């Protein structure tokens, strides 16, 4: 088997980032993108347009206005949501945009980079998705494990060609959002509700605490646990050599092999237990 530095560096550069992107696209891109056209020119009010300035309060207010319920519901219904799942998804989009802690964080970051003109709506959206990424590592083990179990289920429900691109991180944002939303629409209602609770909490923690900081020693220990779990799972497969080659060449293999590698990777990590599992999931969740 290849040594830890070579194989794990390939995995850590590509696969976890692709899976995190999939998780953060999960039901956030589609509702927000649906709302964006009404504000495509930027976040500014008519009174402030001449001055070229937007206040923090205006940004928070306009972020809340992004949630156009009828439009969001219609788009989510087209992606397969119905009944109570449709109600949950619509409510979740509103909660993410209207939470005062999250909205305040997004407004502060927009103002920090604003040049004085209109603020592009996609910049505010990107900050919203990023704050979820920032907060994942702060979650307790129970919630973080559940978050990745949902991610595993969504990955398993994707068509192979979409799954392969998602694992490699090469799937554009809108197709990623649509694919993950279609898979999520088939989750049971209790599971979806719990996932949304966890995602909202992650965003709040990310807004309050900023990015999680680890140490080189802690990161190396977590990566060693991940590699050991992955190795145990690979050697149990009849085509272990090809699977190892898939991980070593993740950016250039076909979708079928990439999808299988992604599924095996997350399954292997989730075989860990207790503190070892928590540390591994924290490592995978770092922005």
């Amino acid at each position: 088997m290849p040594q830890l530095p070579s194989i794990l560096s390939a995995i850590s550069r590509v696969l976890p980032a692709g899976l995190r992107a999939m998780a953060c696209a999960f039901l956030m891109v589609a509702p927000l993108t649906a709302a964006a056209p009404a504000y495509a020119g930027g976040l500014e009010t008519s009174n402030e347009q001449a001055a070229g300035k937007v206040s923090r309060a205006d940004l928070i207010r306009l972020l809340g206005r992004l949630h156009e319920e009828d439009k969001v519901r219609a788009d989510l219904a087209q992606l397969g949501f119905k009944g109570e799942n449709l109600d949950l998804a619509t409510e979740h989009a509103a909660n993410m945009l209207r939470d005062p802690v999250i909205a305040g964080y997004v407004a502060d970051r927009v103002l920090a980079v604003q040049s004085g003109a209109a603020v592009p709506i996609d910049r505010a959206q990107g900050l919203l998705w990023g704050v979820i990424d920032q907060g994942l590592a702060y979650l307790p083990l129970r919630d973080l494990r559940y978050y990745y179990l949902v991610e595993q289920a969504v990955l398993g429900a994707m068509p192979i060609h979409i799954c392969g691109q998602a694992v490699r991180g090469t799937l554009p944002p809108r197709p990623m959002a649509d694919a993950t939303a279609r898979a999520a629409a088939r989750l049971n209602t209790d599971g979806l509700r719990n996932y949304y609770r966890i995602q909202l909490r992650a965003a709040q923690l990310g807004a309050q605490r900023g990015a999680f900081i680890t140490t080189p020693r802690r990161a190396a220990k977590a990566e060693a646990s991940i590699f050991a779990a992955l190795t145990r799972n690979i050697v149990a497969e009849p085509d272990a050599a090809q699977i190892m080659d898939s991980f070593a060449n993740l950016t250039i293999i076909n979708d079928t092999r990439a999808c299988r590698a992604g599924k095996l990777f997350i399954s292997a990590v989730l075989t860990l237990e207790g503190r070892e599992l928590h540390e591994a999931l924290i490592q995978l969740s770092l922005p």
Side-chain angles (χ1 to χ4, degrees):
M1 298 287 260
Q3 293 301 305
L4 173 63
S6 60
I7 185 64
L8 196 56
S9 64
I11 297 170
S12 61
R13 282 197 310 270
V14 181
L15 196 145
L19 294 179
R20 282 202 309 274
M22 182 192 74
C24 288
F26 182 40
L27 282 192
M28 288 309 303
V29 179
L32 292 175
T33 304
Y39 307 95
L43 291 173
E44 62 181 5
T45 66
S46 57
N47 291 335
E48 291 169 313
Q49 188 169 1
K53 294 182 180 179
V54 182
S55 72
R56 185 179 191 271
D58 284 318
L59 282 170
I60 293 173
R61 175 173 55 82
L62 290 172
L63 281 169
R65 285 172 53 197
L66 277 175
H67 181 76
E68 298 176 343
E69 184 166 338
D70 291 344
K71 174 64 173 173
V72 171
R73 286 184 69 89
D75 282 1
L76 288 170
Q78 287 185 345
L79 292 170
F81 287 86
K82 56 186 177 181
E84 195 171 355
N85 276 13
L86 178 58
D87 294 338
L88 280 173
T90 305
E91 182 183 17
H92 178 60
N95 289 341
M96 290 293 293
L97 288 166
R98 295 172 182 169
D99 182 275
V101 174
I102 299 169
Y105 169 90
V106 173
D108 288 340
R109 296 310 181 275
V110 169
L111 290 172
V113 298
Q114 184 184 358
S115 62
V119 179
I121 201 65
D122 58 352
R123 178 177 294 175
Q125 291 172 350
L127 288 168
L128 182 58
W129 308 324
V131 77
I132 299 170
D133 245 1
Q134 283 193 173
L136 285 175
Y138 292 109
L139 292 171
L141 174 58
R142 180 189 62 183
D143 287 349
L144 195 54
R145 179 178 180 273
Y146 191 88
Y147 192 92
Y148 277 93
L149 284 171
V150 171
E151 183 174 305
Q152 182 182 41
V154 170
L155 189 67
M158 285 181 172
I160 294 295
H161 71 286
I162 297 294
C163 169
Q165 293 177 72
V167 169
R168 291 196 303 267
T170 59
L171 191 63
R174 186 55 192 254
M176 173 82 83
D178 288 352
T180 52
R182 290 184 190 280
R186 299 195 289 272
L187 295 175
N188 67 71
T189 299
D190 287 341
L192 195 60
R193 181 183 291 107
N194 194 34
Y195 178 86
Y196 285 153
R197 175 191 64 78
I198 293 168
Q199 191 180 59
L200 179 62
R201 183 57 181 153
Q204 291 168 336
L205 289 169
Q208 292 168 338
R209 302 183 185 180
F212 187 94
I213 304 298
T214 189
T215 65
R217 182 177 179 180
R218 185 176 181 179
K221 186 176 180 179
E223 289 181 348
S225 294
I226 293 169
F227 182 74
L230 185 60
T231 300
R232 287 193 296 271
N233 279 257
I234 291 175
V235 298
E237 298 292 327
D239 55 344
Q242 184 184 63
I243 296 172
M244 185 60 75
D245 181 73
S246 294
F247 281 108
N249 298 283
L250 199 57
T251 59
I252 60 174
I253 57 175
N254 62 34
D255 291 333
T256 299
R257 291 178 61 186
C259 183
R260 186 182 180 198
K263 291 176 180 179
L264 194 149
F265 179 85
I266 194 168
S267 294
V269 173
L270 289 171
T271 63
L272 297 172
E273 297 179 349
R275 184 171 181 81
E276 191 175 28
L277 173 61
H278 197 188
E279 290 295 315
L281 295 181
I282 286 173
Q283 184 64 26
L284 292 185
S285 301
L286 296 179

